[in-house]
Amino acid sequence: MTPKRTLAALVALGLVVTLGLVVAVAPSYAQSPPAEQIIERYIEAVGGEKAIREIEGMHQTGTMDMPSMGMSAELEIFLAPPNKMLMKMSMPQVGEINTGFNGEIGWVENPMTGPMIMEGEQLEQVMEQADFYSDLSYESRYATMETVETVEFAGESAYKVRLVDQDGDETTEYFSVDSGLKIGFEAEQTSEMGTVMVVTELRDYKDFEGRMVPMTTVAKMMGMEMTMKLDSVSFDEIEPSVFELPENVKTLAKKVVEKVDGENGR
């Protein structure tokens, strides 16, 4: 996944985690192109493989609103290859919720619950979302890639592509027939609430020196809607210290390791 997808997925995950802690299709058209061809066109549409691999880091700022819950937040997101990320979500009603992956450990820091080390499906999700170059490895990540049909998605004609990864988890992605850009996806997210389906729309792509970025992301789940709008996007190398574990997360991670070692008799 490119940083574009990564960001949308991160915000969707952030919405799921936050909620857990705080609480007609158009007829298909014949001869849709194969999934591999659609994905190749998408990679070219966002700037091409060379441009993606030349990115040394990505820093984004913006806002997030959840009108149904009366909640809003300021967002700041850092991404670095090959697999590091940090998302800061500052919410007046809650405080600052941080989600990160340093290449080994996935974690969440929440003022209401304290730090948490991610495990199981949540860890797998954040690892996938931190993968800076994952859109360049569809074929190795997915056991099945198939074009289902051409449909209307978010008011636009789109190719519906079904993806099944090596563990059998399924994702549906939608690519604009006109532009080739990815305009949305559907996937299950796991949190303290359990597993929920999140439908995400990617809108308002903007060209940053040949790299296309969706400036608006809308995530829908459980009858609620979250809208994220980016204010700034920059492609610069990120200081490694940004991805270091906070002290309280370091302490918790050490306890987790000691517990596992104790259970294994070490």
Side-chain angles (χ1 to χ4, degrees):
M1 100 193 37
T2 63
K4 281 60 75 180
R5 162 67 191 274
T6 302
L7 173 60
L10 279 174
V11 174
L13 176 61
L15 173 61
V16 173
V17 171
T18 302
L19 289 175
L21 295 173
V22 175
V23 201
V25 174
S28 61
Y29 300 93
Q31 299 181 335
S32 295
E36 293 81 0
Q37 183 177 326
I38 293 171
I39 292 165
E40 288 176 4
R41 185 184 177 211
Y42 162 62
I43 292 172
E44 289 304 312
V46 295
E49 180 176 351
K50 183 174 183 293
I52 293 171
R53 293 197 181 278
E54 287 177 346
I55 300 174
E56 297 181 327
M58 196 175 195
H59 177 223
Q60 300 175 316
T61 63
T63 59
M64 184 269 289
D65 291 292
M66 290 185 286
S68 63
M69 296 186 67
M71 303 181 77
S72 61
E74 299 287 330
L75 295 174
E76 185 172 22
I77 299 159
F78 301 86
L79 299 161
N83 61 346
K84 294 182 179 181
M85 75 87 185
L86 172 66
M87 179 176 70
K88 296 182 177 182
M89 183 185 298
S90 180
M91 308 178 72
Q93 305 91 333
V94 179
E96 187 169 284
I97 300 174
N98 298 326
T99 304
F101 184 73
N102 69 348
E104 297 180 354
I105 297 172
W107 55 275
V108 176
E109 192 178 33
N110 187 296
M112 298 182 66
T113 62
M116 179 186 76
I117 301 297
M118 290 184 173
E119 298 178 338
E121 291 187 18
Q122 280 191 326
L123 177 59
E124 291 177 5
Q125 288 171 184
V126 78
M127 288 174 64
E128 178 183 352
Q129 292 153 10
D131 185 350
F132 205 81
Y133 301 126
S134 62
D135 264 352
L136 302 179
S137 58
Y138 269 83
E139 292 187 2
S140 62
R141 290 190 299 119
Y142 294 108
T144 299
M145 300 192 302
E146 60 180 3
T147 306
V148 179
E149 57 186 340
T150 304
V151 300
E152 288 293 320
F153 181 85
E156 186 172 351
S157 182
Y159 298 122
K160 180 179 180 179
V161 176
R162 176 176 174 265
L163 305 166
V164 183
D165 68 17
Q166 306 296 339
D167 296 324
D169 295 323
E170 186 170 329
T171 301
T172 301
E173 297 187 350
Y174 297 88
F175 299 84
S176 169
V177 171
D178 291 335
S179 69
L181 294 168
K182 186 184 300 179
I183 59 173
F185 55 92
E186 301 175 354
E188 291 185 336
Q189 297 281 356
T190 301
S191 76
E192 287 75 8
M193 295 183 298
T195 300
V196 296
M197 177 62 69
V198 180
V199 180
T200 303
E201 298 177 9
L202 307 176
R203 306 173 181 173
D204 305 325
Y205 275 85
K206 184 177 179 180
D207 189 331
F208 289 87
E209 298 180 357
R211 302 180 180 103
M212 299 295 288
V213 178
M215 301 300 286
T216 302
T217 300
V218 179
K220 303 175 182 180
M221 57 173 288
M222 299 174 61
M224 293 175 286
E225 185 172 296
M226 178 276 293
T227 300
M228 182 202 71
K229 291 183 178 293
L230 292 180
D231 299 322
S232 69
V233 178
S234 62
F235 299 93
D236 298 301
E237 185 175 1
I238 307 297
E239 284 290 331
S241 60
V242 169
F243 304 105
E244 291 181 359
L245 300 179
E247 288 302 320
N248 57 353
V249 175
K250 286 182 182 179
T251 300
L252 183 59
K254 182 178 179 181
K255 291 180 180 179
V256 171
V257 171
E258 291 174 347
K259 179 181 178 182
V260 172
D261 287 347
E263 291 174 349
N264 293 333
R266 295 179 184 174

